[in-house]
């Protein structure tokens, strides 16, 4: 609830003035009665009061009049009939022509018309000539101001004014005397809340509403009252720098894996087909290798691969080598293996790690960008981050994999997760994780246990649990986004307003 002590001096003055005037009034009236210097002060204070719900403002368009060019002149010299009357008073009776001595030529018929209409003079014919003679009421009217004259004087004094319609119509019969104008008037009306507050009594005292170093230094603050803060008022938000939501989310993911005992690894964006696909037992005619999905490099076009390792993998693909696998049964191309590409998944990071560190146990993860030849739309990006990870240890099993992933999602804030059977050429069994979001199941990533065809050439005998998840999908869920593109648009308004994760 608003309190009087939270209002500025001018706000109080407006409130008090309105209350004393029965609850409402025009800004001009409030200015006059409230002792304001300008109307602007009243309007400004009233806008604040409206914002605080204490008054409402209504704009009314009023028709007002100002003096026209002829009006300006007439205010100075007098209306034609007035000038004629004065002249007649001196002379008693004059010929019609003589009227031109005190009037402009064009004013003569106007003056005669009004003199007759008002009964100030009479026309007489004598010897073929027309004479004008002052009447009794003409004499009486000498010292009296007509309504029209009063109105003109008012316009001269005030610049503009509202006029009685009848008088305005009278004046309008004369050319260029009046100018019509539209005036916007602001009516200020106390609200129920405003009335209640004002009814408690409003004290008008000078107070300090803004504390300055001068006021503190001079000690003035000790003598004067300080205006109370209204902590309910909305203040402009001060935006400071902050990490991008994706950066924040990455940090959160990193902290979760580290707290679960994982170590972070990294890799390169540019990889060979060999490491990105062949060592993972992805057949060379797999659709994912298609120009559709993979971005190949022109320069360099080829990357050298260790000869011995290349042979082992070639045999694995062709016939299973010295393992019990029968391979894929096609002719492996070394040229294909040497092709250079932008990594399509970060599984290349974990498999490289395993080749370098074949001894268990290992728990590592990576968060990194991957690239695919995909069209940009509301749910797809050609460049996105993957959260990759493996657990390599004796006796690792499928239940453990489910447990780790469930725990990860739980910590990031998703409870409703399901696992579905899936297929990847490098894992068996394989599964897909899905989360229930906005009424439907949404895919989050894949996982599984690396096949012997993948692990045996690296000299690994124990099971390796593996997964790869999309960071942006997580961001979509956490930030409730319908369109994934917003994450990369750098729309400052969105960035400022997006909640902290
Ligand atoms: N590499 C897969 C992808 O890009 C995810 C995955 C990683 C699946 C590890 C199984 C094991 O979607």
């Amino acid at each position: 609830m608003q309190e009087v002590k939270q209002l500025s001096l001018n706000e109080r003055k407006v409130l008090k003035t309105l209350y004393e005037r029965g609850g409402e009034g025009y800004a001009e009236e409030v200015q006059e009665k409230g002792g304001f210097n300008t109307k602007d002060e009243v309007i400004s204070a009233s806008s604040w009061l409206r914002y605080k719900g204490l008054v409402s403002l209504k704009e009314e368009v009023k028709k007002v009049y100002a003096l026209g060019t002829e009006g300006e002149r007439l205010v100075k010299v007098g209306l034609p009939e007035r000038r004629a009357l004065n002249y007649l008073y001196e002379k008693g009776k004059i010929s019609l022509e003589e009227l031109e001595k005190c009037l402009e030529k064009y004013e003569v018929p106007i003056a005669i018309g009004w003199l007759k209409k008002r009964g100030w003079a009479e026309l007489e014919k004598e010897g073929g000539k027309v004479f004008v003679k002052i009447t009794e009421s003409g004499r009486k009217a000498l010292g009296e101001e007509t309504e029209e004259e009063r109105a003109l004087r008012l316009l001269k004094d005030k610049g503009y004014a509202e006029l009685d319609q009848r008088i305005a119509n009278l004046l309008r019969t004369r050319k260029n005397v009046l100018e019509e104008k539209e005036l916007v008037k602001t009516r200020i009306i106390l609200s129920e809340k405003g009335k209640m507050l004002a009814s408690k009594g409003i004290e008008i005292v000078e107070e300090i509403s803004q504390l300055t170093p001068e006021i503190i230094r001079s000690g003035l603050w000790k003598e004067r009252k300080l205006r109370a803060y209204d902590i309910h008022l909305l203040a402009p938000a001060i935006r400071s720098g902050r990490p991008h939501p994706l950066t924040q989310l990455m940090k959160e993911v990193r902290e979760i894996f580290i707290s679960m005992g994982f170590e972070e690894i990294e890799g390169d964006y540019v990889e060979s087909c060999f490491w990105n696909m062949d060592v993972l037992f992805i057949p060379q005619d797999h659709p994912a290798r298609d120009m559709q999905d993979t971005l190949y490099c022109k320069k360099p076009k080829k990357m050298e691969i260790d000869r011995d390792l290349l042979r082992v993998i070639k045999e694995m693909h062709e016939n299973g080598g010295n393992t019990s696998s029968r391979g894929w049964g096609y002719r492996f191309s070394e040229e294909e293996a040497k092709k250079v590409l932008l990594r399509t998944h970060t599984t290349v990071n974990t498999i490289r790690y395993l080749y370098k560190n074949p001894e268990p146990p290992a728990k590592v993860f990576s968060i990194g960008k991957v690239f695919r030849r995909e069209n940009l739309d509301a749910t797809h990006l050609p460049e996105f981050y993957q959260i990759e990870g493996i657990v390599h240890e004796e006796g690792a099993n499928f239940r453990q994999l489910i447990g780790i992933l469930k725990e990860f999602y739980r910590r990031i804030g998703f409870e409703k997760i399901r696992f579905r059977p899936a297929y990847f050429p490098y894992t068996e069994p394989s599964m897909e994780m899905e989360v229930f979001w906005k009424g439907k199941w949404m895919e989050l990533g894949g996982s599984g246990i690396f096949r012997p065809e993948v692990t045996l050439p690296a000299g690994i005998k124990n099971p390796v649990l593996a997964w790869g998840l999309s960071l942006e999908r997580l961001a979509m869920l956490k930030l409730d986004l319908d369109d994934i593109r917003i994450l990369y648009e750098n729309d400052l308004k969105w960035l400022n307003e997006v909640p902290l994760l």
Side-chain angles (χ1 to χ4, degrees):
M1 179 65 192
Q2 284 286 332
E3 285 186 62
V4 174
K5 65 178 181 199
Q6 293 164 336
L7 301 178
S8 75
L9 182 63
N10 279 353
E11 287 165 10
R12 286 182 209 193
K13 283 207 275 186
V14 170
L15 217 58
K16 190 175 161 123
T17 311
L18 287 174
Y19 189 68
E20 285 164 0
R21 296 183 61 74
E24 57 180 282
Y26 288 108
E28 292 80 4
E29 295 167 359
V30 175
Q31 178 191 344
E32 199 190 311
K33 305 288 178 211
F36 286 92
N37 292 325
T38 66
K39 196 175 109 182
D40 282 348
E41 288 177 350
V42 177
I43 298 289
S44 151
S46 303
S47 311
W48 278 106
L49 289 171
R50 172 175 57 181
Y51 183 57
K52 297 172 183 177
L54 300 173
V55 304
S56 61
L57 300 181
K58 214 161 81 193
E59 306 227 300
E60 290 175 10
V61 181
K62 284 258 151 84
K63 209 195 309 175
V64 292
Y65 296 93
L67 291 173
T69 45
E70 181 68 357
E72 302 264 13
R73 191 181 71 89
L74 290 182
V75 170
K76 281 189 211 125
V77 300
L79 293 174
E81 65 270 28
R82 172 66 63 189
R83 271 176 282 147
L85 183 68
N86 291 341
Y87 192 74
L88 276 175
Y89 174 67
E90 273 171 42
K91 308 275 169 146
K93 174 174 161 185
I94 53 166
S95 70
L96 204 52
E97 292 84 58
E98 218 188 317
L99 262 185
E100 284 184 25
K101 288 196 179 151
C102 64
L103 298 171
E104 301 291 331
K105 207 173 166 135
Y106 73 90
E107 291 180 319
V108 174
I110 303 172
I112 304 239
W114 283 103
L115 286 171
K116 274 168 57 183
K117 202 166 178 180
R118 294 207 182 278
W120 288 354
E122 287 165 351
L123 296 189
E124 279 179 8
K125 266 193 186 156
E126 243 182 77
K129 261 186 128 189
V130 182
F131 288 90
V132 193
K133 205 179 116 194
I134 192 164
T135 60
E136 209 31 54
S137 49
R139 280 178 208 285
K140 264 206 231 136
L142 271 169
E144 286 167 11
E145 199 179 31
T146 63
E147 290 171 321
E148 288 168 88
E149 287 168 324
R150 197 175 311 128
L152 290 179
R153 193 163 48 81
L154 179 78
L155 297 187
K156 180 178 174 249
D157 291 346
K158 299 227 166 175
Y160 62 84
E162 285 175 65
L163 291 183
D164 187 88
Q165 201 54 49
R166 189 178 52 84
I167 295 166
N169 287 342
L170 275 180
L171 283 169
R172 271 206 302 220
T173 61
R174 306 175 198 241
K175 240 182 164 176
N176 296 332
V177 169
L178 289 189
E179 209 177 282
E180 221 177 274
K181 285 189 174 174
E182 282 199 338
L183 184 77
V184 184
K185 293 190 90 180
T186 310
R187 205 160 168 73
I188 314 163
I189 305 143
L190 277 184
S191 69
E192 281 313 309
K193 223 166 112 187
K195 270 186 205 152
M196 225 161 70
L197 202 63
S199 69
K200 292 183 192 152
I202 291 178
E203 206 192 338
I204 305 289
V205 280
E206 187 84 51
E207 350 179 286
I208 295 171
S209 55
Q210 218 157 65
L211 209 50
T212 59
E214 289 71 40
I215 294 177
I216 296 173
R217 233 178 282 129
S218 67
L220 194 66
W221 61 273
K222 284 188 227 162
E223 295 152 31
R224 291 269 193 84
K225 259 181 130 173
L226 293 175
R227 184 170 146 214
Y229 281 118
D230 179 354
I231 56 164
H232 300 290
L233 270 189
L234 285 175
I238 297 169
R239 309 276 186 206
S240 56
R242 53 186 281 200
H244 190 281
L246 269 185
T247 311
Q248 272 172 253
L249 187 58
M250 246 184 267
K251 190 171 163 233
E252 201 180 326
V253 168
R254 182 170 290 128
E255 276 164 9
I256 291 173
F257 277 114
I258 288 175
S259 72
M260 286 167 74
F262 284 79
E263 246 178 85
E264 188 168 2
I265 57 167
E266 275 180 334
D268 297 327
Y269 288 171
V270 177
E271 281 284 0
S272 58
C273 267
F274 182 79
W275 282 104
N276 190 81
M277 316 215 207
D278 297 337
V279 285
L280 285 166
F281 200 52
I282 301 174
Q284 289 187 328
D285 56 0
H286 192 273
R289 300 209 182 197
D290 224 322
M291 296 301 278
Q292 295 301 310
D293 288 75
T294 306
L295 290 157
Y296 291 92
C297 295
K298 279 191 185 145
K299 261 190 200 171
K301 227 177 156 53
K302 271 169 76 179
M303 230 186 231
E304 279 319 308
I305 310 292
D306 181 276
R307 287 226 56 81
D308 296 338
L309 187 54
L310 190 57
R311 192 171 323 113
V312 173
I313 297 301
K314 178 179 157 80
E315 276 170 20
M316 181 62 79
H317 277 246
E318 290 183 347
N319 53 40
N322 57 8
T323 70
S324 57
S325 168
R326 287 161 55 200
W328 293 114
Y330 70 95
R331 255 194 80 77
F332 183 90
S333 155
E334 294 191 11
E335 287 315 300
E336 180 68 27
K338 289 175 185 169
K339 276 191 186 166
V340 182
L341 49 70
L342 290 178
R343 71 180 181 207
T344 61
H345 56 181
T346 42
T347 317
V348 61
N349 291 354
T350 46
I351 193 64
R352 270 186 180 278
Y353 178 87
L354 285 172
Y355 269 83
K356 272 208 195 112
N357 306 275
E359 288 308 315
K363 285 166 83 178
V364 298
F365 74 100
S366 88
I367 306 172
K369 225 173 216 187
V370 301
F371 308 84
R372 290 184 193 174
R373 231 172 119 116
E374 250 176 318
N375 285 329
L376 191 59
D377 67 28
T379 48
H380 292 92
L381 296 166
E383 243 186 81
F384 59 96
Y385 281 93
Q386 277 191 332
I387 307 164
E388 195 82 28
I390 48 165
V391 169
H392 175 205
E393 67 188 27
E394 221 187 300
N397 59 54
F398 206 59
R399 285 236 52 84
Q400 196 180 346
L401 177 60
I402 292 178
I404 290 167
L405 292 171
K406 262 200 174 150
E407 178 61 11
F408 167 72
Y409 283 120
R410 195 190 59 77
R411 291 201 194 183
I412 207 113
F414 300 111
E415 301 278 353
K416 202 164 174 188
I417 301 290
R418 77 174 178 191
F419 296 88
R420 301 194 339 146
Y423 175 79
F424 301 99
Y426 35 95
T427 48
E428 182 58 39
S430 308
M431 58 181 182
E432 237 163 42
M433 291 74 78
E434 289 182 335
V435 68
F436 198 69
W437 182 62
K438 281 196 175 174
K440 56 177 188 222
W441 290 98
M442 179 128 164
E443 200 192 309
L444 291 177
S447 65
I449 301 178
F450 277 148
R451 288 167 72 135
E453 288 94 334
V454 173
T455 49
L456 287 179
I460 286 166
K461 310 229 164 35
N462 290 297
V464 179
L465 314 177
W467 58 88
L469 329 164
S470 156
L471 180 76
E472 284 84 351
R473 285 283 172 91
L474 276 187
M476 273 182 95
L477 302 181
K478 288 216 83 165
L479 299 171
D480 204 14
L481 308 178
D482 290 319
D483 193 325
I484 203 163
R485 287 169 290 198
I486 186 86
L487 288 170
Y488 288 96
E489 272 166 10
N490 290 333
D491 174 343
L492 278 183
K493 187 172 146 43
W494 180 75
L495 287 173
N496 272 328
E497 287 168 7
V498 68
L500 284 172
L501 287 168

